[in-house]
């Protein structure tokens, strides 16, 4: 079975192809082919990068080729990156879909009704759901009736208790779907399942906090295998400080900016989502590697940015403890979580009252899928290489009834 995975962002497209046998492997196999398209590098086009057959090939795409899926998939059957004789060899296509609203709690086979629902939810995810639809439609045009599966970022958080998911707003607004949905669910669920394996304990008995830290950041409190709290809410803007997103702020601030600063709705949206977070605090980069390097060099703005990031992260972790009634495992994942030891050190330093003790030698090495706490740490600290693409492929395999 050949499973194609499409993982679309607002300005990017990632894809990979897995070749699976009759049984589902316990661990992620290496993809036959990997591709990425970055539309943010230029106003006039994007960069297509392909990895296959030991080759890495980069080409430029014109803006008119957006979303670029046709050009991307052509490399599966032509040139030095060819791994298929024909696209008809693809058995199923799995899509990451950011927002499934309150309608989908599990991956689903995409029908016209499902597609229409994803389209109807665009107001809740205007930067992402259109890109997912573009991918779904492109696959339909290219591959016809090949089965397509939607795996929703919001689905894992469908178990949030009402007290957690409800905003204190009048009923008419809540009836229109304004509630806390949560995101990064594919990653949080995958990390929880992998943590259970590493800890050699049933997931149904564990109390975990998963930290997905990258350009976008969120936490999830997972009790007995279910999400009981998370930091992102109605949109991915709520919660932690992120690369360019401000995270949670006083909701009167946007009103103030519009009333006193004369900003439009679009300008406020851009400010909070694209110009804030680490980037806004430093006045430069939103990349933690750059921020931390500037901090170590004594840049006051970078020092403040790192401290604000860590404070918000520690506060969120601590706030989840009542939901869990204790903590068995703290998991770090994502680009920052997996690769930046200083962030893990600073975060755990404020959690020593819980009995969190890092093995700093291991932590400095950033070993993937490994425990990085000391043997006498009360809370086990794990570093897990989150693999959303494999989680999507696995869900797609299961949907087809294998």
């Amino acid at each position: 079975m050949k499973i194609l995975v499409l993982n679309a962002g607002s300005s990017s497209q990632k894809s990979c192809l897995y070749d699976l046998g009759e049984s589902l492997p316990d661990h992620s196999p290496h993809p036959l082919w990997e591709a990425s398209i970055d539309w943010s590098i230029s106003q006039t086009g994007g960069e297509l990068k392909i990895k296959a057959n030991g080759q890495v090939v980069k080409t430029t795409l014109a803006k008119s080729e957006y979303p670029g899926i046709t050009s991307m998939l052509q490399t599966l059957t032509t040139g030095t990156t060819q791994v298929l004789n024909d696209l008809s060899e693809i058995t199923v296509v799995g899509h990451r879909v950011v927002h499934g609203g309150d309608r989908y709690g599990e991956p689903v086979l995409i029908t016209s009704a499902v597609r229409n629902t994803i389209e109807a939810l665009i107001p809740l995810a205007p930067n992402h759901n259109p890109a997912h639809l573009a991918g779904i439609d492109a696959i339909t045009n290219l591959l016809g009736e090949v089965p397509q599966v939607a795996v929703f970022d919001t689905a894992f958080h469908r178990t949030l208790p009402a007290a957690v998911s409800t905003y204190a707003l009048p009923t008419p607004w809540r009836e229109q779907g304004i509630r806390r949905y949560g995101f990064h669910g594919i990653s949080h669920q995958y990390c929880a399942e992998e943590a259970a394996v590493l800890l050699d304990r049933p997931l149904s008995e564990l109390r975990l906090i998963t930290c997905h830290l990258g350009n976008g950041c969120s936490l999830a409190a997972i009790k007995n295998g279910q999400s009981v709290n998370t930091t992102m809410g109605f949109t991915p803007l709520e919660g932690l400080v992120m690369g360019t997103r401000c995270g949670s702020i006083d909701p009167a601030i946007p009103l103030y900016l519009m009333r006193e600063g004369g900003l439009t709705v679009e300008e406020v949206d851009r400010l909070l989502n694209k110009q804030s977070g680490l980037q806004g605090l430093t006045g430069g980069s939103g990349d933690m590697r750059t921020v931390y390097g500037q901090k170590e060099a004594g840049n006051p703005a970078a020092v403040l940015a790192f401290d604000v990031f860590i404070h918000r992260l520690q506060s969120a972790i601590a706030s989840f403890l009542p939901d869990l009634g204790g903590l068995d495992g703290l998991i770090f994942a994502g680009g920052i979580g997996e690769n930046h030891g200083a962030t893990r050190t600073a975060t755990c330093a404020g959690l020593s009252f819980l009995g969190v003790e890092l093995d700093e030698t291991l932590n400095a090495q950033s070993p993937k899928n490994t425990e990085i706490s000391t043997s006498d740490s009360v809370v086990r600290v794990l570093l897990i290489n989150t693999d959303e693409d494999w989680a999507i492929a696995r869900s797609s395999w299961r949907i087809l009834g294998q």
Side-chain angles (χ1 to χ4, degrees):
M1 173 185 288
K2 292 182 172 61
I3 301 177
L4 179 70
V5 173
L6 293 184
N7 189 337
S10 56
S11 61
S12 65
Q13 177 71 248
K14 293 192 298 180
S15 184
C16 62
L17 182 73
Y18 293 97
D19 188 7
L20 304 183
E22 295 182 359
S23 60
L24 195 63
D26 293 332
H27 301 287
S28 169
H30 190 73
L32 286 179
W33 167 96
E34 298 173 82
S36 64
I37 303 174
D38 185 352
W39 292 102
S40 66
I41 63 170
S42 169
Q43 295 292 322
T44 59
E47 180 185 77
L48 170 62
K49 180 180 178 180
I50 306 293
K51 293 172 62 178
N53 302 324
Q55 304 285 323
V56 177
V57 179
K58 296 181 180 180
T59 56
T60 300
L61 299 180
K63 192 173 184 179
S64 59
E65 295 180 77
Y66 181 86
I69 294 174
T70 300
S71 299
M72 182 176 71
L73 295 189
Q74 284 175 349
T75 68
L76 282 165
T77 58
T78 59
T80 59
T81 59
Q82 178 181 355
V83 294
L84 300 176
N85 292 319
D86 191 85
L87 291 178
S88 62
E89 295 176 48
I90 296 172
T91 311
V92 60
V93 181
H95 298 264
R96 169 182 172 245
V97 179
V98 163
H99 218 307
D102 58 3
R103 309 183 194 188
Y104 299 111
E106 299 288 343
V108 297
L109 198 64
I110 296 175
T111 63
S112 58
V114 172
R115 187 213 172 278
N116 291 341
T117 298
I118 294 170
E119 185 172 27
L121 290 169
I122 285 176
L124 299 185
N127 294 324
H128 291 89
N129 273 28
H132 305 320
L133 286 174
I136 292 168
D137 292 343
I139 292 297
T140 299
N141 292 333
L142 284 168
L143 302 180
E145 297 300 315
V146 67
Q148 298 189 66
V149 174
V151 184
F152 298 95
D153 249 355
T154 50
F156 182 58
H157 301 299
R158 282 284 303 277
T159 55
L160 293 177
V164 174
S165 65
T166 303
Y167 289 115
L169 293 170
T171 300
W173 292 102
R174 288 185 281 113
E175 288 178 342
Q176 292 185 37
I178 297 181
R179 50 160 289 176
R180 301 187 70 244
Y181 291 100
F183 300 89
H184 290 149
I186 298 170
S187 174
H188 288 301
Q189 183 174 12
Y190 178 86
C191 289
E193 292 171 352
E194 291 298 304
V197 174
L198 289 173
L199 296 175
D200 194 24
R201 292 180 59 186
L203 182 56
S204 59
E205 298 177 1
L206 290 171
R207 299 164 300 178
L208 306 171
I209 293 177
T210 50
C211 308
H212 179 103
L213 308 177
N215 187 53
C217 301
S218 72
L219 306 184
I222 301 170
K223 186 175 184 179
N224 304 332
Q226 294 189 326
S227 175
V228 296
N229 207 339
T230 190
T231 51
M232 287 179 170
F234 180 63
T235 74
L237 184 61
E238 186 179 354
L240 305 176
V241 172
M242 307 177 218
T244 63
R245 298 178 194 145
C246 61
S248 294
I249 60 173
D250 185 331
I253 292 174
L255 303 179
Y256 176 86
L257 294 172
M258 289 187 285
R259 184 173 55 244
E260 302 297 329
L263 272 66
T264 65
V265 172
E266 290 74 19
E267 288 170 332
V268 170
D269 182 271
R270 184 166 57 253
L271 170 67
L272 301 184
N273 279 288
K274 302 293 186 182
Q275 300 170 342
S276 297
L278 293 174
Q279 177 178 298
L281 286 166
T282 62
S285 175
D287 189 305
M288 177 57 80
R289 293 166 295 188
T290 301
V291 172
Y292 192 77
Q294 292 174 344
K295 170 189 177 296
E296 291 294 274
N299 182 315
V303 171
L304 177 63
F306 185 77
D307 289 348
V308 171
F309 182 92
I310 295 298
H311 176 264
R312 188 69 62 86
L313 180 54
Q314 291 173 329
S315 298
I317 291 170
S319 74
F320 282 174
L321 297 177
D323 298 299
L324 295 170
L327 186 61
D328 299 309
L330 179 66
I331 295 102
F332 288 94
I336 297 173
E338 294 174 28
N339 300 304
H340 200 250
T343 292
R344 297 190 297 266
T345 295
T347 302
C348 291
L351 303 174
S352 58
F353 71 97
L354 294 175
V356 175
E357 293 187 29
L358 275 185
D359 181 323
E360 287 298 348
T361 301
L362 273 177
N363 182 55
Q365 298 168 2
S366 295
K368 302 298 189 288
N369 303 318
T370 303
E371 181 178 356
I372 57 173
S373 47
T374 63
S375 59
D376 55 354
S377 180
V378 176
V379 177
R380 311 279 290 277
V381 183
L382 307 175
L383 196 159
I384 293 178
N385 177 28
T386 189
D387 195 339
E388 291 181 335
D389 290 341
W390 173 236
I392 294 167
R394 191 167 56 186
S395 293
S396 301
W397 191 91
R398 290 168 176 161
I399 281 285
L400 290 194
Q402 298 295 319

